[in-house]
Amino acid sequence: MDPVRIYSEAHGRLIDLALGLPPGELSAAVPACPAWTVRQTYAHLAGVCVDVAAGTVTPPVTDQVTAGQVADRDGRDIAEICQEWRTSAPVLLDLMRSQGKARYRLPAVDVWNHENDIRGALGLAAQTEHAEALLDFSLTGMGRSWPQERPALTVTATDAERSWTLGEGTGPHWRGTAFELYRALMGRRTTGQIIAMDWSGDPAPVVGFLSLLPAAEKPLDV
């Protein structure tokens, strides 16, 4: 995937969106991040950018760090938060270009998912561009560490006509659009939603290992 492109495009869209939102929508709860409002999700995104660009944090960031990023920006209005994010983004993008380690691709993962979290909170349609590339990034990483004793898993992105196999031997086959599969991997679907997707074979032996982040507690549409 191209993390710089993914990050910069999402950053631009989110800044434009934020500056046009009325106060009521900025204070709306984000179901995918139930502890945060829309404004607080922006505070986290700005905080990650500032911290990684400054070298005070190395991706991935912990829940404690993200909570601090939100708390540090409590009371700031959205224009201040966006300006801070806009100012720091070029430094982060340069770092993402120069660092070859996979961890420096994680800000792109974070901003893409949070863009959709925010869009879901506001009743907007999903932003699906780059879903296939992000899905490939995550499944490739999962495949490297898939335990031999676990049943193999085949995953097919039906809109991309592309498949991945994790492990060796036989096992269930999981199908869906690249967007739905990736959102499930990133903890944006409940376990029940994942099981209800298109499966061949029994998903029970693998479904508990499919969310790279804790599975959503309540069903999400975006």
Side-chain angles (χ1 to χ4, degrees), residues 18-180:
L19 296 179
L21 291 177
E25 292 190 337
L26 287 166
S27 62
V30 178
C33 307
W36 292 345
T37 64
V38 170
R39 190 196 65 80
Q40 289 172 321
T41 307
Y42 274 95
H44 157 65
L45 289 168
V48 168
C49 183
V50 169
D51 290 346
V52 176
T56 57
V57 167
T58 301
V61 298
T62 66
D63 290 344
Q64 182 178 6
V65 169
T66 60
Q69 291 161 347
V70 172
D72 288 347
R73 289 159 181 80
D74 187 34
R76 297 189 197 178
D77 64 31
I78 194 65
E80 292 177 281
I81 291 169
C82 287
Q83 183 57 42
E84 180 186 38
W85 191 16
R86 186 186 284 118
T87 300
S88 296
V91 180
L92 175 61
L93 290 171
D94 284 344
L95 187 63
M96 292 169 70
R97 290 186 188 97
S98 64
Q99 294 289 336
K101 294 182 178 179
R103 66 178 57 206
Y104 286 97
R105 300 179 186 180
L106 296 180
V109 171
D110 190 54
V111 74
W112 189 93
N113 278 289
H114 283 315
E115 178 182 10
N116 278 296
D117 297 340
I118 289 168
R119 295 182 69 84
L122 298 174
L124 301 175
Q127 167 56 46
T128 62
E129 188 178 7
H130 305 302
E132 180 188 346
L134 288 158
L135 179 65
D136 177 64
F137 174 68
S138 291
L139 288 174
T140 300
M142 291 174 69
R144 294 192 190 103
S145 59
W146 196 257
Q148 290 184 347
E149 65 273 13
R150 189 178 298 166
L153 171 67
T154 299
V155 183
T156 297
T158 53
D159 55 336
E161 297 184 353
R162 186 174 179 185
S163 294
W164 298 259
T165 298
L166 285 63
E168 298 181 359
T170 60
H173 190 165
W174 184 29
R175 303 176 187 85
T177 64
F179 179 83
E180 282 297 318

